[in-house]
Amino acid sequence: MNKNLTKSLETYLLAIDILLQKKEKIIVKDVSEFMKVGGASAAD
């Protein structure tokens, strides 16, 4: 991955990639549930 990405951002992007392999569209709630974080944390 890009060296300019933080470890946290890289983790979120990987989660999004995994979720998009399972379904065509995802929302913030999908990411927050997958990562077991609050919705606000996933939306940042």
Side-chain angles (χ1 to χ4, degrees), residues 11-26:
T11 302
Y12 279 101
L13 290 173
L14 289 171
I16 291 168
D17 182 51
I18 290 167
L19 290 167
L20 285 172
Q21 290 177 33
K22 296 179 182 181
K23 58 191 220 177
E24 188 175 321
K25 294 182 182 181
I26 59 171

Side-chain angles (χ1 to χ4, degrees), residues 24-39:
E24 188 175 321
K25 294 182 182 181
I26 59 171
I27 59 174
V28 172
K29 182 178 177 183
D30 297 327
V31 178
S32 65
E33 288 176 355
F34 181 81
M35 296 191 67
K36 297 178 176 62
V37 297

Side-chain angles (χ1 to χ4, degrees), residues 1-14:
M1 290 223 139
N2 186 333
K3 292 181 182 180
N4 295 326
L5 297 178
T6 63
K7 190 68 172 172
S8 176
L9 181 56
E10 187 175 334
T11 302
Y12 279 101
L13 290 173
L14 289 171

